[in-house]
PDB file of all heavy atoms in Angstrom:
ATOM      1  N   THR A  35     -23.422   3.540  22.611  1.00 81.00           N
ATOM      2  CA  THR A  35     -22.808   4.391  21.597  1.00 81.00           C
ATOM      3  C   THR A  35     -23.185   3.928  20.188  1.00 81.00           C
ATOM      4  O   THR A  35     -23.144   2.753  19.887  1.00 81.00           O
ATOM      5  CB  THR A  35     -21.283   4.363  21.738  1.00 81.00           C
ATOM      6  OG1 THR A  35     -20.949   4.811  23.046  1.00 81.00           O
ATOM      7  CG2 THR A  35     -20.633   5.277  20.727  1.00 81.00           C
ATOM      8  N   GLU A 150      20.011   8.103  15.007  1.00 91.00           N
ATOM      9  CA  GLU A 150      21.402   7.779  14.656  1.00 91.00           C
ATOM     10  C   GLU A 150      21.534   6.320  14.252  1.00 91.00           C
ATOM     11  O   GLU A 150      22.170   5.988  13.263  1.00 91.00           O
ATOM     12  CB  GLU A 150      22.346   8.077  15.826  1.00 91.00           C
ATOM     13  CG  GLU A 150      22.614   9.556  16.002  1.00 91.00           C
ATOM     14  CD  GLU A 150      22.429   9.999  17.437  1.00 91.00           C
ATOM     15  OE1 GLU A 150      22.959   9.303  18.340  1.00 91.00           O
ATOM     16  OE2 GLU A 150      21.743  11.019  17.660  1.00 91.00           O
ATOM     17  N   VAL A 169      19.812  -5.997   8.788  1.00 96.00           N
ATOM     18  CA  VAL A 169      20.696  -5.082   9.498  1.00 96.00           C
ATOM     19  C   VAL A 169      20.067  -4.645  10.822  1.00 96.00           C
ATOM     20  O   VAL A 169      20.763  -4.496  11.828  1.00 96.00           O
ATOM     21  CB  VAL A 169      21.042  -3.858   8.621  1.00 96.00           C
ATOM     22  CG1 VAL A 169      22.062  -2.964   9.292  1.00 96.00           C
ATOM     23  CG2 VAL A 169      21.550  -4.316   7.264  1.00 96.00           C
ATOM     24  N   ILE A 197      -1.125  -8.213  15.119  1.00 97.00           N
ATOM     25  CA  ILE A 197      -0.388  -9.429  14.766  1.00 97.00           C
ATOM     26  C   ILE A 197       0.144  -9.416  13.327  1.00 97.00           C
ATOM     27  O   ILE A 197       1.316  -9.735  13.105  1.00 97.00           O
ATOM     28  CB  ILE A 197      -1.238 -10.678  15.101  1.00 97.00           C
ATOM     29  CG1 ILE A 197      -1.250 -10.803  16.627  1.00 97.00           C
ATOM     30  CG2 ILE A 197      -0.680 -11.928  14.439  1.00 97.00           C
ATOM     31  CD1 ILE A 197      -1.995 -11.957  17.180  1.00 97.00           C
TER      32      ILE A 197
END
Side-chain angles (χ1 to χ4, degrees):
Chain A
T35 301
E150 284 131 47
V169 185
I197 288 181

